[in-house]
Amino acid sequence: MERNSHRVTKGIERTPHRSLFYAMGYTKEDLNRPLIGVVNSQNEIVPGHVHLDIIAKAVKEAIWAAGGTPIEVPAIAVCDGIAMGHMGMHYSLASRELIADSVETMAMAHAFDGLVLIPNCDKVVPGMLMAAARLNLPAVLVSGGPMMAGMAGGRPVSLSQTFEGVGACSAGRMTEEQLTELEENACPGCGSCSGMFTANSMNCLTEVIGMGLPGNGTIPAMFAARTRLAKAAGSAIIQLVAENIRPLDILTPKAFENALAVDMALGCSSNSVLHLLAIANEAGVPLDLEKINEISEKTPNLCRLSPAGPHHIEDLYRVGGVPVVMAELAKNGLLHNDCLTVTGKTVGENLENVGTPDGTVVHTVANPCSKTGGLAILYGNIAPEGCVVKRSAVDPSMLTHSGPARVFDSEEDTNAAILGGKIQKGDVVVIRYEGPKGGPGMREMLSPTSALAGRGLDKDVALLTDGRFSGASRGASIGHVSPEAAAGGPIALVQEGDIIDIDINNYQINLRVSEEELANRRKNLTLLPPKIEKGYLKRYASQVSSASMGAVLK
């Protein structure tokens, strides 16, 4: 059978190519096997990635054993937590496109036959899935797994409590000693941070959409089962190459509908909207924000994992993981069972003999946490192209809210106002010029949302931004307002004291200002100049699309 790698290994004209392989220690026998790119984003700056050398080693051993030749290549990864709240966060979302481009570059330049993708955190998972869809080479993704929850004050905690602790300490609601205890115990070891934050959301959805093996989303990083899963992924890629099963055979419209359904049931990060749109774009699958509300309306929320509730990813793992959630949805006609997956089997076949919900960590469809899904897309005169909220993490009292706008043109100014006690109950904090283009890079607003929660205002204050939120954010945190301020969107027209009406369950958000007044304001509008005028971010800002389109590069 003709293989992709024959472009660099076969024929007299490839003599120089083989010579270069021999220089690295590869043998003739190695070059006769399928060449499998093992894309490893291991580094020493991201807790979720520091151990990925162990995962890569297991993957490579299994590829050798199954008859392939593994070739490890690198990928970058940004730690959103360490990048949070300063210049570094401009680079987080923007890194997704670099990751996709670099995987494409390495795979195409070196003629790999297949790929095993090894990410773990936030933008690395979707970046690699975007590349897989773009390349359409046989591929399987195996992540590094979630971190265990920490213990502080006699209760399980995660990174989100450390951010909220800053606000609590500044408000006198927590002592510095208690904050130090959180700091030292919230993150007990390697893995992606332990709640249903963006990294774990995307690792779970990778499993659902069919590009990861069952267990990819929930097996803890430190468990031996994670290493066994890596070996299973190494074996699976050889089978995928042999059977010529490719990502576009898996990433179908029905597969994306499955991902959205489980997204709603799990209560995943609002960032999952951006990433699913971007992956669908690469796969050529039509997907828009209206589809999200359509699925949210009919799919109940079955889990309240941190930050929406007390449970963590390890708890979901112990009650059967993502397959239990999928099986419960499938039983109630809310999942497509006929979608192909990297196991070589369909979703339905993978779910045979899966257990049932425990009723505490995972609820049943008959007794859900809420009858509608974890995410909602809101529309109105302030967001004509939509904005997104993690509905499952909003206190019921804030599902409808009206209040005066408190307007800021940067995250830094917002933080100073919150920590300075200048935000009052009932306010609607508006942070603009933080979108994909205006940020640039659409920074996560975890520091402001955590400061509000730490000061006890998360049940009284809404936050609206053309930026985005960490999966660790909770409260009435409404992001991805589109069009963004830097593109002249209506959010740029909001003035201090304007009343904003929010109705999450009816998918509405409106500025209580007449169209005539908005038109007058637009005549006098002067957009802020770009915040960064050099390097990659300047290029990114000039090419990036709206958040409503997944913030992909044009």
Side-chain angles (χ1 to χ4, degrees):
M1 182 182 73
E2 185 73 18
R3 292 199 295 261
N4 198 46
S5 60
H6 290 173
R7 292 189 285 122
V8 296
T9 62
K10 295 296 183 183
I12 190 170
E13 69 278 11
R14 298 311 182 207
T15 297
H17 304 66
R18 290 191 295 273
S19 183
L20 291 167
F21 275 102
Y22 298 154
M24 294 180 282
Y26 294 101
T27 67
K28 290 181 180 180
E29 290 75 16
D30 296 337
L31 300 187
N32 283 328
R33 294 165 164 237
L35 303 187
I36 307 298
V38 178
V39 187
N40 184 6
S41 56
Q42 191 272 341
N43 61 42
E44 295 181 350
I45 193 61
V46 185
H49 291 237
V50 71
H51 66 301
L52 293 186
D53 53 338
I54 298 171
I55 302 297
K57 180 176 181 289
V59 166
K60 290 189 291 185
E61 288 174 351
I63 290 171
W64 282 118
T69 296
I71 302 174
E72 186 173 343
V73 296
I76 64 168
V78 170
C79 177
D80 278 21
I82 294 175
M84 194 73 65
H86 61 89
M87 181 69 181
M89 183 45 67
H90 290 287
Y91 288 88
S92 172
L93 181 61
S95 74
R96 186 188 70 184
E97 316 309 309
L98 290 175
I99 292 160
D101 289 350
S102 67
V103 174
E104 174 194 354
T105 299
M106 295 301 286
M108 293 303 292
H110 303 108
F112 294 143
D113 294 308
L115 297 169
V116 177
L117 306 166
I118 308 177
N120 208 21
C121 293
D122 300 73
K123 310 312 162 300
V124 196
V125 179
M128 289 189 177
L129 289 175
M130 289 165 67
R134 185 186 304 171
L135 291 163
N136 202 30
L137 291 171
V140 60
L141 186 146
V142 57
S143 77
M147 185 185 293
M148 302 293 283
M151 289 293 293
R155 65 188 178 105
V157 294
S158 66
L159 183 69
S160 62
Q161 278 85 17
T162 66
F163 278 94
E164 293 179 10
V166 174
C169 190
S170 72
R173 301 173 72 237
M174 176 182 286
T175 66
E176 289 190 20
E177 290 76 15
Q178 290 172 317
L179 186 60
T180 298
E181 182 187 8
L182 267 177
E183 175 185 328
E184 294 176 349
N185 293 284
C187 299
C190 65
S192 48
C193 295
S194 58
M196 188 51 81
F197 311 147
T198 305
N200 291 325
S201 295
M202 292 311 300
N203 280 322
C204 288
L205 296 182
T206 298
E207 185 177 332
V208 177
I209 210 166
M211 289 298 294
L213 298 173
N216 181 72
T218 59
I219 298 173
M222 63 179 64
F223 282 23
R226 177 60 57 175
T227 305
R228 295 197 297 271
L229 186 74
K231 291 181 178 180
S235 299
I237 189 59
I238 301 302
Q239 192 65 28
L240 291 169
V241 170
E243 296 182 12
N244 197 30
I245 296 174
R246 296 172 180 261
L248 296 188
D249 299 323
I250 295 170
L251 296 172
T252 63
K254 285 183 178 181
F256 281 95
E257 290 182 5
N258 282 351
L260 286 171
V262 178
D263 193 332
M264 299 306 160
L266 287 174
C268 290
S269 164
S270 58
N271 285 315
S272 63
V273 172
L274 279 177
H275 300 322
L276 288 174
L277 288 171
I279 298 162
N281 177 69
E282 294 286 356
V285 172
L287 185 65
D288 57 31
L289 297 180
E290 289 292 345
K291 174 64 71 173
I292 293 169
N293 278 349
E294 175 189 323
I295 291 177
S296 184
E297 269 295 302
K298 65 183 181 182
T299 310
N301 178 230
L302 306 182
C303 302
R304 290 290 164 92
L305 304 174
S306 175
H311 305 297
H312 294 82
I313 300 297
E314 65 197 70
D315 300 309
L316 179 58
Y317 170 68
R318 290 187 177 114
V319 299
V322 174
V324 165
V325 178
M326 293 178 70
E328 177 65 11
L329 293 178
K331 185 175 71 175
N332 288 274
L334 295 170
L335 213 65
H336 300 292
N337 279 333
D338 57 343
C339 294
L340 184 63
T341 74
V342 290
T343 65
K345 300 177 181 178
T346 64
V347 167
E349 290 170 329
N350 289 341
L351 295 178
E352 291 175 2
N353 303 315
V354 167
T356 57
D358 69 311
T360 302
V361 179
V362 180
H363 289 238
T364 62
V365 167
N367 183 33
C369 300
S370 64
K371 292 182 179 179
T372 52
L375 296 178
I377 308 299
L378 314 184
Y379 294 93
N381 66 354
I382 198 171
E385 293 178 8
C387 54
V388 62
V389 62
K390 187 172 181 175
R391 174 166 44 186
S392 60
V394 179
D395 188 83
S397 66
M398 288 295 290
L399 290 172
T400 56
H401 179 77
S402 296
R406 304 297 310 281
V407 183
F408 303 92
D409 289 337
S410 73
E411 177 190 9
E412 289 80 2
D413 290 347
T414 311
N415 280 335
I418 296 171
L419 295 176
K422 297 179 180 179
I423 302 301
Q424 308 300 319
K425 290 184 177 181
D427 287 346
V428 179
V429 176
V430 177
I431 312 176
R432 60 192 180 189
Y433 293 99
E434 290 287 4
K437 184 182 297 293
M442 205 178 181
R443 289 192 289 178
E444 290 183 343
M445 302 291 132
L446 179 57
S447 294
T449 59
S450 297
L452 287 172
R455 297 179 74 86
L457 293 172
D458 57 298
K459 297 180 181 178
D460 302 287
V461 173
L463 196 153
L464 179 68
T465 181
D466 54 8
R468 61 196 178 90
F469 296 106
S470 165
S473 293
R474 60 187 175 95
S477 302
I478 303 165
H480 310 193
V481 172
S482 299
E484 61 176 296
I491 191 172
L493 305 176
V494 182
Q495 295 182 1
E496 188 82 7
D498 286 346
I499 301 300
I500 296 175
D501 298 316
I502 300 166
D503 187 347
I504 293 175
N505 282 339
N506 286 310
Y507 308 106
Q508 291 289 313
I509 183 164
N510 283 288
L511 186 64
R512 204 185 296 174
V513 175
S514 70
E515 289 301 315
E516 292 78 12
E517 172 61 18
L518 290 176
N520 287 333
R521 291 181 187 182
R522 184 169 294 284
K523 291 177 184 177
N524 300 310
L525 176 64
T526 301
L527 299 178
L528 291 185
K531 295 178 182 177
I532 296 174
E533 300 233 56
K534 62 180 181 180
Y536 172 55
L537 290 177
K538 180 180 180 180
R539 300 198 307 275
Y540 178 86
S542 71
Q543 298 175 22
V544 71
S545 70
S546 167
S548 63
M549 299 172 65
V552 297
L553 296 187
K554 299 173 185 175

